[in-house]
Amino acid sequence: MTAVDDMSLLRRAFEIAKSARVHGNHPFGALLAGPDGAVLIESENGFLPDRDMTAHAERLLATAASRKYSPDVLAGCTLYTSAEPCAMCAGAIYWAGIGRVVFGLTERRLKDLTGNHRENPTLDLPCRVVFAAGQRAVAVRGPLLEDEAAALHEGVWD
């Protein structure tokens, strides 16, 4: 997959994040693309209506992907996400067997944006650190288009 494809698919994840915000949720979005770049699954943040603090877009996507596709298929897939996967989501991506992650906004910058907001007590732990503790490789590309990704959060965490 080329860098141009990564940027286009990452921007699609940003559109999903915008949709999550329109639906009253936190502005996070993710998608799973196959090796050919075809979008297989899309997922918005799912905090509402149940106030589920674990319903991050990436975790929901990893769960759906592991139910639908075999580990052999997922190893060749890429998860595109508006923000770097937190430790929980990185663990879910790892356990689902997804082979690659491309993200926009870093956890560190997200933490700067959210502050000490009770609905997003951000962990400043890079997903690369979580993946490095595993027994199989997960390729990571990011941050990319970080200013665009940060703009998704304007006015959300005030």
Side-chain angles (χ1 to χ4, degrees):
M1 184 165 292
T2 67
V4 173
D5 294 325
D6 278 351
M7 299 305 176
S8 175
L9 289 165
L10 185 57
R11 284 191 169 110
R12 175 63 197 140
F14 295 171
E15 292 302 314
I16 298 165
K18 288 176 187 174
S19 179
R21 188 170 178 178
V22 167
H23 293 133
N25 277 300
H26 302 137
F28 298 98
L31 67 87
L32 184 71
D36 61 356
V39 176
L40 305 175
I41 300 173
E42 294 185 348
S43 181
E44 296 181 6
N45 177 275
F47 176 68
L48 294 175
D50 299 324
R51 303 189 67 76
D52 183 351
M53 295 291 284
T54 68
H56 296 186
E58 304 92 337
R59 204 270 306 152
L60 294 171
L61 188 145
T63 298
S66 68
R67 289 178 176 157
K68 187 169 184 176
Y69 299 103
S70 72
D72 290 341
V73 169
L74 293 174
C77 291
T78 299
L79 187 149
Y80 292 85
T81 180
S82 59
E84 182 174 9
C86 72
M88 174 186 69
C89 292
I93 291 162
Y94 174 83
W95 284 107
I98 297 167
R100 183 169 179 258
V101 171
V102 175
F103 69 88
L105 186 67
T106 64
E107 275 286 277
R108 174 156 294 166
R109 188 150 175 207
L110 178 63
K111 185 177 179 184
D112 290 343
L113 293 171
T114 62
N116 193 26
H117 197 284
R118 63 181 173 78
E119 291 180 1
N120 196 11
T122 304
L123 294 166
D124 186 2
L125 180 64
C127 67
R128 286 176 174 92
V129 173
V130 176
F131 295 140
Q135 296 181 38
R136 65 170 186 78
V138 178
V140 178
R141 184 168 186 219
L144 299 172
L145 307 172
E146 195 168 21
D147 289 339
E148 287 181 43
L152 299 167
H153 297 270
E154 289 177 4
V156 174
W157 308 107
D158 299 337

